[in-house]
Amino acid sequence: MNKAFLFIAFYLLFPVFLLANQTSEDELTEEKRIKVINYKWKSDRSTLSQADHSTFEILQQNFQTGPEVTEACITCHTKRDEEIMATSHWNWERTEMLEGKGEVPVGKKNILNNFCIGVSASEATCTRCHIGYGWKDKNFDFTAGKNIDCLVCHDNSGTYVKGKGMAGYPDPSVNLSYVAQNVGKPSKENCGVCHFWGGGGNNVKHGDLEVSLLDCTPDVDVHMTTEGENMDCVACHETQNHQMAGKLYALSSENKNRATCEQCHTNEPHTNQLLNQHNIRVACQTCHIPSYAKVNGTKMWWDWSTAGRLDENGGEIHESDADGNHNYLSIKGTFVYDDHVKPDYFWFNGIANHQLITDKINTIPVQMNSLDGSYADKGARQKTDSPSKIWPVKVHRGKQIYDTEYMTLIQPKLWSPEKGDSAYWLDFNWDEAAKAGMDYLGLPYSGSYGFVETEMYWPLNHMVAPKEQSLSCKDCHTRNNGRLASLSDFYLPGRDKSNVLDGIGIALVLFASLGALVHGSIRIFTTRSKV
């Protein structure tokens, strides 16, 4: 029976296999094979000259502080400060609609994660990645244009760095005059200063954003490779009035202002229409990012419950694996890294939800963010302007502190410049850190804490592989633990069985065999009769 069904399946699907693997007779060039709009190929670009800021008299002064540089910038770039102060890069939050919760301010300022948990009560160190100066506590003035850090995004000298624990101010070693005279268009290096190093180390959070992208081979990322287009981040994350296209899925909820593959590649980038039709329900990233963390490992597990272990002299413990990744840190706990990771796959329609610090815990593991979507999210029932698609996702798991009586997550105070201020990273007292952090937010703390398992989802968009390394049909259309084995809410040819279809197929084989037998018998009988 099974062999008969396999025969029918092969007979029916073999033409599809041929169609999916056909090549053009005239060997189309790369530019024609991949439909690209709104993008100028590197070979066709003319180098646009930028103003030589070293010749500007106003920048030829001995700047003592970052705000002094900003005030000089604004004398020419008028109103740019107002544009920046309207962005989420500046405010670290935006108001978005969360299902069942209404309009909520969402962003790095207030959303918890299962990495460093959150910034509240520790702003002076966390805002090293903010595009401003002086955000050391909740009294920061978001309306003061001079607090904007122009240099962190526009430094082209490669010498600008913010100081540790300095609330976003530049390190004292930085020559501000030299940097101010060497500014230009944001590069990968500028964006990577924060986006590569989020969570306390290179590639810790995202898994597909890390320093290797600054100078990588096509195998790592076909867009950013220095052997190809060498694209900067702003090539896709297009910017108007300092508003950048694209939002971090882990910190956004509504399906709008996304940066998409279709911006350049259209909805039909393949010469093969069967592949183009997959784009209706399968994200480009699903086939074209078969793995992530291709060079350096990324964190897959972070257990805060083990933090606080000290050596016999009361000193902090640092343990690393063979690749140099931290296995254990006294201030943060236990970690598990992995590289060349195969993504998890989920239906996703661009809408996300979040576990707010005031929300009751009702599922374990706690879903720090949840991706909305299903196979049924299509047609008249779809929630956004397009149906749910299958997406590749990094899932980060861990354990973090929560209030065992109120059943809510806790924002602990983690950092302080000195001991005795209830900061866990110095005093190693969870109870004091929890009380200090929740008091800072004006939220209740019962005095009873524990550690709960959590999950966080990071849809993948970078480390796009060359087309030769993208997924093939058999990676998904198989019963042998295929890529989409976890998505069971739809019928996938080659993976799923149907007793009805199997019965029809077997019946067709039997009828065909019977017909052949009858036809052959008649031919033999009639031939003998003529003799």
Side-chain angles (χ1 to χ4, degrees):
M1 292 291 188
N2 290 334
K3 289 183 178 179
F5 175 74
L6 290 174
F7 174 79
I8 287 292
F10 177 80
Y11 180 78
L12 294 175
L13 294 177
F14 185 69
V16 176
F17 173 83
L18 290 178
L19 179 62
N21 289 276
Q22 68 180 359
T23 55
S24 176
E25 293 180 359
D26 57 356
E27 293 296 321
L28 296 176
T29 62
E30 184 70 16
E31 288 83 353
K32 291 181 180 179
R33 185 182 300 115
I34 302 175
K35 296 181 180 179
V36 177
I37 61 173
N38 299 328
Y39 179 76
K40 184 174 288 187
W41 293 91
K42 183 178 180 181
S43 58
D44 297 329
R45 293 180 218 157
S46 58
T47 303
L48 298 177
S49 60
Q50 297 182 119
D52 183 358
H53 285 70
S54 66
T55 64
F56 295 170
E57 183 178 352
I58 196 170
L59 299 181
Q60 296 174 1
Q61 57 178 294
N62 184 21
F63 293 108
Q64 298 299 310
T65 68
E68 289 180 6
V69 178
T70 300
E71 289 178 323
C73 296
I74 294 174
T75 60
C76 290
H77 298 281
T78 56
K79 302 294 183 178
R80 299 290 83 83
D81 54 331
E82 296 178 11
E83 293 176 0
I84 292 170
M85 288 189 288
T87 68
S88 55
H89 267 113
W90 171 255
N91 293 297
W92 273 12
E93 71 174 11
R94 66 177 74 84
T95 298
E96 298 204 357
M97 181 67 69
L98 272 64
E99 187 172 353
K101 300 174 185 178
E103 289 192 343
V104 177
V106 174
K108 192 174 178 67
K109 184 192 293 185
N110 63 337
I111 290 294
L112 302 187
N113 59 47
N114 61 358
F115 288 86
C116 290
I117 302 179
V119 305
S120 296
S122 303
E123 288 94 340
T125 188
C126 297
T127 54
R128 187 182 182 191
C129 271
H130 183 242
I131 60 167
Y133 300 123
W135 186 357
K136 63 180 181 179
D137 55 36
K138 54 189 172 184
N139 297 315
F140 178 68
D141 186 1
F142 287 92
T143 66
K146 67 178 182 179
N147 287 339
I148 295 169
D149 183 355
C150 304
L151 301 179
V152 72
C153 293
H154 292 282
D155 166 46
N156 284 178
S157 72
T159 64
Y160 187 74
V161 61
K162 292 193 178 230
K164 294 182 178 180
M166 293 182 60
Y169 284 107
D171 188 88
S173 65
V174 175
N175 184 332
L176 293 173
S177 299
Y178 177 74
V179 176
Q181 294 174 35
N182 289 274
V183 294
K185 179 182 176 181
S187 66
K188 286 184 286 189
E189 287 84 352
N190 296 115
C191 302
V193 164
C194 291
H195 292 286
F196 293 166
W197 294 89
N202 177 44
N203 205 31
V204 162
K205 272 190 180 180
H206 301 275
D208 63 344
L209 281 175
E210 58 141 312
V211 294
S212 69
L213 295 175
L214 298 178
D215 184 13
C216 64
T217 62
D219 289 352
V220 176
D221 189 283
V222 74
H223 295 118
M224 295 190 185
T225 175
T226 48
E227 298 175 22
E229 290 299 292
N230 194 22
M231 293 170 65
D232 287 318
C233 305
V234 292
C236 293
H237 297 277
E238 297 174 342
T239 306
Q240 290 186 348
N241 300 326
H242 284 93
Q243 292 280 1
M244 302 193 76
K247 300 189 298 182
L248 182 64
Y249 292 102
L251 292 175
S252 63
S253 302
E254 298 181 76
N255 189 31
K256 60 183 182 182
N257 192 37
R258 304 293 194 193
T260 67
C261 304
E262 289 83 359
Q263 289 171 198
C264 292
H265 292 291
T266 78
N267 288 317
E268 296 186 340
H270 307 96
T271 57
N272 187 315
Q273 279 304 110
L274 182 63
L275 294 180
N276 287 330
Q277 289 170 7
H278 276 67
N279 188 49
I280 299 173
R281 301 307 305 271
V282 180
C284 304
Q285 294 88 331
T286 298
C287 294
H288 292 279
I289 307 178
S291 65
Y292 61 96
K294 296 180 181 179
V295 179
N296 294 294
T298 187
K299 276 182 186 172
M300 306 301 295
W301 172 259
W302 183 333
D303 185 355
W304 281 94
S305 70
T306 64
R309 180 164 56 91
L310 304 175
D311 63 24
E312 57 186 11
N313 298 316
E316 294 182 22
I317 296 173
H318 302 257
E319 297 174 350
S320 300
D321 62 20
D323 296 321
N325 301 311
H326 295 304
N327 280 339
Y328 182 84
L329 293 175
S330 296
I331 65 171
K332 295 182 177 181
T334 305
F335 315 109
V336 174
Y337 282 77
D338 200 3
D339 55 46
H340 296 87
V341 186
K342 182 188 297 185
D344 290 277
Y345 297 92
F346 297 88
W347 288 107
F348 184 41
N349 58 19
I351 300 173
N353 212 324
H354 304 275
Q355 179 79 17
L356 306 178
I357 194 170
T358 53
D359 290 342
K360 295 290 185 182
I361 294 173
N362 53 28
T363 61
I364 296 177
V366 179
Q367 306 299 296
M368 301 300 291
N369 66 324
S370 53
L371 307 181
D372 190 75
S374 68
Y375 174 73
D377 180 31
K378 59 180 180 177
R381 292 176 291 180
Q382 70 188 40
K383 295 183 178 181
T384 65
D385 57 358
S386 61
S388 291
K389 295 185 178 183
I390 297 171
W391 273 76
V393 177
K394 172 190 171 180
V395 182
H396 182 262
R397 297 175 171 88
K399 284 185 178 181
Q400 63 195 89
I401 190 170
Y402 80 111
D403 193 308
T404 57
E405 182 175 330
Y406 293 136
M407 291 301 291
T408 55
L409 294 171
I410 288 174
Q411 168 65 74
K413 179 181 177 67
L414 296 174
W415 183 88
S416 177
E418 57 189 19
K419 289 185 176 182
D421 193 27
S422 302
Y424 185 79
W425 286 346
L426 289 176
D427 297 336
F428 297 104
N429 186 310
W430 277 120
D431 184 56
E432 290 183 2
K435 184 179 187 305
M438 298 303 276
D439 283 348
Y440 183 86
L441 292 172
L443 295 174
Y445 168 56
S446 70
S448 177
Y449 70 88
F451 294 87
V452 64
E453 290 193 18
T454 60
E455 292 181 344
M456 196 163 189
Y457 302 91
W458 300 77
L460 300 167
N461 288 282
H462 309 94
M463 292 195 170
V464 176
K467 63 183 184 301
E468 296 84 4
Q469 297 176 15
S470 61
L471 297 185
S472 64
C473 303
K474 64 182 180 181
D475 287 305
C476 299
H477 296 275
T478 179
R479 293 180 185 171
N480 299 318
N481 195 30
R483 292 273 182 150
L484 304 183
S486 63
L487 296 180
S488 58
D489 60 345
F490 73 108
Y491 181 84
L492 180 63
R495 181 195 69 178
D496 299 325
K497 295 178 63 177
S498 168
N499 291 332
V500 174
L501 291 177
D502 288 355
I504 293 173
I506 292 168
L508 288 174
V509 171
L510 292 176
F511 281 124
S513 299
L514 181 60
L517 180 61
V518 171
H519 177 74
S521 299
I522 293 173
R523 291 290 298 270
I524 293 172
F525 178 77
T526 55
T527 301
R528 289 180 177 177
S529 297
K530 291 179 180 180
V531 174

